[in-house]
Amino acid sequence: MTESVAWVGVDWGTSNLRAWGIGGSGAVVARAGSDQGMGKLAREQFPEALGAALEQMQLQAGPLDVVICGMAGARQGWIEAPYLEAPTDLRLLGQGAVSPDMPDERFRVSILPGVCQRQGGENVMRGEETQLLGLASLNPDYTGLVCMPGTHSKWARLDGTRIEHFSTAMTGEMFALLKSQSVLRHSLNGPLDGPGQDEGFVAGARDGLDNPAGLLGQLFTVRAASLLSGQAPDWCVGYLSGLLIGTEIAANRNEIGTDPVPLIGSDKLCALYMRVLHMAGASGRLVDSTEVVLAGLTAARASIA
């Protein structure tokens, strides 16, 4: 007999949403998803988008709790869930949840807050805090830096479930903009997956690690190397990627301890960060992003009033 869904967890991003039906045993017994991310929805469209995802699970009669993290709680999302202010204990996420109106009364919806930082550099996160709570729940003794590579990479210092401070690096977004909209695009016309990509990545990562203050000047190496040394597009794109990641890691090098840095993100991107961490004399360990977001949603649900 298939286990029934006891509650639903949702990770609502800017581009997509993912939903999981959780059984009484804590196992995932149903999954759903759509491309109806926050960036595509007007405020009044969120209930319908959630309802369509839940319909995919063929849920039994409610009432069922639906716990949501991510951009549904942003100011431009469904309903704003005010930030917790770092430093803070992430076990308070559930207590900061807000409850939007949901026409389908089978579902009791709670949207978790993000975390902001006012001292030591203003910063915000939404969604990553739930993954961090999940990481802390699965690794209760961990104290140290956590890296979350992505469009806007996050570096957060955890002490158990307490987030002490964090920073953001717009590495992924800068890579996309420079690759497609800057003068560097002229050096990236052609196949980008060739054998030169690896060599370029190592060269760029080394330059970023050794001289992070020189980023603005070193970016032009992409253009100059193609014009003067005949470097192919695959080398150039590798150099650009390595330079940005190397610079990002160099900016955080003084906070990286001796333990492997947990890396939460796509396997492919995390593998690049792990490689550059090794070049910097450190190390990283890949963490399953779905596993930690589910653990975080589960932990937050336990404290929702």
Side-chain angles (χ1 to χ4, degrees), residues 109-181:
V109 178
S110 299
I111 301 177
L112 300 177
V115 173
C116 73
Q117 178 175 275
R118 300 183 189 277
Q119 302 299 320
E122 290 184 324
N123 227 306
V124 295
M125 65 168 64
R126 279 200 188 274
E128 295 93 349
E129 73 295 319
T130 305
Q131 292 181 317
L132 291 170
L133 174 59
L135 177 68
S137 300
L138 296 171
N139 301 268
D141 297 327
Y142 181 72
T143 296
L145 208 58
V146 180
C147 177
M148 312 174 82
T151 303
H152 300 150
S153 298
K154 303 292 183 184
W155 292 76
R157 176 159 290 279
L158 277 186
D159 184 358
T161 58
R162 182 176 174 83
I163 181 170
E164 298 291 351
H165 62 83
F166 65 97
S167 63
T168 302
M170 294 176 59
T171 305
E173 184 167 355
M174 288 304 300
F175 177 78
L177 289 171
L178 290 165
K179 179 172 174 281
S180 62
Q181 297 186 39

Side-chain angles (χ1 to χ4, degrees), residues 174-295:
M174 288 304 300
F175 177 78
L177 289 171
L178 290 165
K179 179 172 174 281
S180 62
Q181 297 186 39
S182 78
V183 67
L184 304 185
R185 72 187 188 278
H186 300 301
S187 299
L188 303 174
N189 275 330
L192 300 179
D193 295 325
Q197 185 181 104
D198 187 70
E199 179 186 342
F201 181 83
V202 172
R206 178 50 59 199
D207 284 351
L209 288 171
D210 290 347
N211 184 24
L215 173 64
L216 292 180
Q218 291 179 133
L219 284 169
F220 201 70
T221 298
V222 174
R223 187 65 181 139
S226 69
L227 292 172
L228 300 180
S229 302
Q231 295 290 6
D234 56 349
W235 187 97
C236 291
V237 77
Y239 182 89
L240 177 60
S241 174
L243 177 64
L244 292 171
I245 294 173
T247 300
E248 178 186 334
I249 288 175
N252 292 278
R253 185 65 187 92
N254 290 340
E255 291 202 56
I256 298 173
T258 56
D259 292 335
V261 177
L263 296 165
I264 304 173
S266 74
D267 290 356
K268 182 177 180 179
L269 189 55
C270 285
L272 296 178
Y273 276 70
M274 196 175 305
R275 186 174 184 186
V276 181
L277 281 167
H278 181 75
M279 292 174 64
S283 61
R285 64 180 178 92
L286 184 62
V287 177
D288 188 293
S289 59
T290 299
E291 183 180 9
V292 291
V293 77
L294 286 172

